């Protein structure tokens, strides 16, 4: 579900009000809140077991191939670009451990890759909204794993378009194949599917 302000162009005060609302609701309502260019997105369903197991397996597989200074992070905080009015929370973030130091949200421009496992209840958030927001935030690689179809895509090579920055390269994969995220290839064997 998306809750959008009346005017698609928001000022910083509108963004701050949305941010305060999201923070207040995070521990009150189930699901996950994010702020996009369109407004607040609330994925009302708690993640299903296949979603969480996919996230865990992707994180562990990446950790085996990443250099020591990089991590596949699945926790908090969010990543935020207040100037763009966007606060997102990828399922897995490839980031340098040094860039995790300090307080507040992560700077999205420090991410090496963002990885999402498609939600059964709101797939457009991953396939449409984040495909629009992540290049705008400067995230060089965006990987999507979709347990609904047993397939996914890796997007890269940000380029300008009349509608804003977009990914120029898309490499589709099916579960069972190796998938390359940035410089690292991992297996997609035994990733669960939604029933």
């Amino acid at each position: 579900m998306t809750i959008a302000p009346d005017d698609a162009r928001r000022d910083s005060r509108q963004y701050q009000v949305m941010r305060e609302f999201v923070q207040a609701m995070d521990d009150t309502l189930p699901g996950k809140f994010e702020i996009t260019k369109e407004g607040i997105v609330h994925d009302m369903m708690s993640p299903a077991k296949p979603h969480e197991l996919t996230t865990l397996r992707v994180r562990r597989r990446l950790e085996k191939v990443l250099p020591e200074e990089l991590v596949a992070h699945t926790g908090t905080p969010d990543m935020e670009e207040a100037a763009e009015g966007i606060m997102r929370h990828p399922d897995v973030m490839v980031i340098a451990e040094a860039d995790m130091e300090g307080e507040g949200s992560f700077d999205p421009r420090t991410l090496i890759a963002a990885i999402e496992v498609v939600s059964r209840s709101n797939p457009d958030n991953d396939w449409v909204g984040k495909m629009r927001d992540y290049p705008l935030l400067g995230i060089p690689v965006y990987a999507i794993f979709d347990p609904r179809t047993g397939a996914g895509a890796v997007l890269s090579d940000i380029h300008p378009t009349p509608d804003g920055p977009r990914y120029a390269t898309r490499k589709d994969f099916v579960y069972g194949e190796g998938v390359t995220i940035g410089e690292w290839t991992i297996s997609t064997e035994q990733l669960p599917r939604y029933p």
Side-chain angles (χ1 to χ4, degrees), residues 84-96:
E84 292 292 344
I86 298 172
M87 184 174 66
R88 291 291 200 165
H89 188 87
D91 292 316
V92 181
M93 296 178 252
V94 178
I95 187 170

Side-chain angles (χ1 to χ4, degrees), residues 17-35:
V17 167
M18 286 190 289
R19 192 176 192 285
E20 289 168 6
F21 172 81
V22 166
Q23 287 177 325
M25 293 298 106
D26 260 347
D27 294 331
T28 307
L29 295 174
K32 180 169 73 170
F33 290 91
E34 295 177 301
I35 303 172

Side-chain angles (χ1 to χ4, degrees), residues 14-173:
Q14 287 173 313
Y15 175 72
Q16 188 59 38
V17 167
M18 286 190 289
R19 192 176 192 285
E20 289 168 6
F21 172 81
V22 166
Q23 287 177 325
M25 293 298 106
D26 260 347
D27 294 331
T28 307
L29 295 174
K32 180 169 73 170
F33 290 91
E34 295 177 301
I35 303 172
T36 76
K37 289 303 264 183
E38 295 176 334
I40 297 172
V41 172
H42 180 209
D43 192 350
M44 295 187 293
M45 303 293 290
S46 294
K49 285 182 180 180
H51 180 283
E52 295 303 289
L53 186 55
T54 300
T55 301
L56 173 73
R57 288 182 176 165
V58 167
R59 178 184 59 83
R60 283 185 174 167
R61 291 169 188 182
L62 276 168
E63 286 177 342
K64 289 180 181 178
V65 297
L66 290 172
E68 187 175 318
E69 67 273 8
L70 300 181
V71 296
H73 178 66
T74 57
T76 56
D78 296 311
M79 61 168 187
E80 177 179 31
E81 179 58 62
E84 292 292 344
I86 298 172
M87 184 174 66
R88 291 291 200 165
H89 188 87
D91 292 316
V92 181
M93 296 178 252
V94 178
I95 187 170
E97 187 175 336
D99 289 328
M100 296 177 70
E101 293 178 4
E103 296 294 323
S105 299
F106 293 136
D107 178 349
R109 286 176 174 70
T110 64
L111 269 64
I112 296 161
I115 298 144
E116 297 290 357
V117 179
V118 174
S119 164
R120 185 176 11 206
S121 62
N122 191 5
D124 284 352
N125 187 36
D126 298 309
W127 282 110
V128 178
K130 291 178 182 179
M131 199 177 292
R132 175 200 60 236
D133 289 351
Y134 286 178
L136 180 64
L137 297 173
I139 298 169
V141 177
Y142 173 35
I144 307 169
F145 291 78
D146 195 337
R148 298 171 312 147
T149 61
V154 178
L155 300 110
S156 60
D157 302 321
I158 298 171
H159 71 111
T161 74
D163 294 325
R166 296 291 183 263
Y167 291 112
T169 302
R170 175 178 169 153
K171 295 182 180 178
D172 293 318
F173 63 90

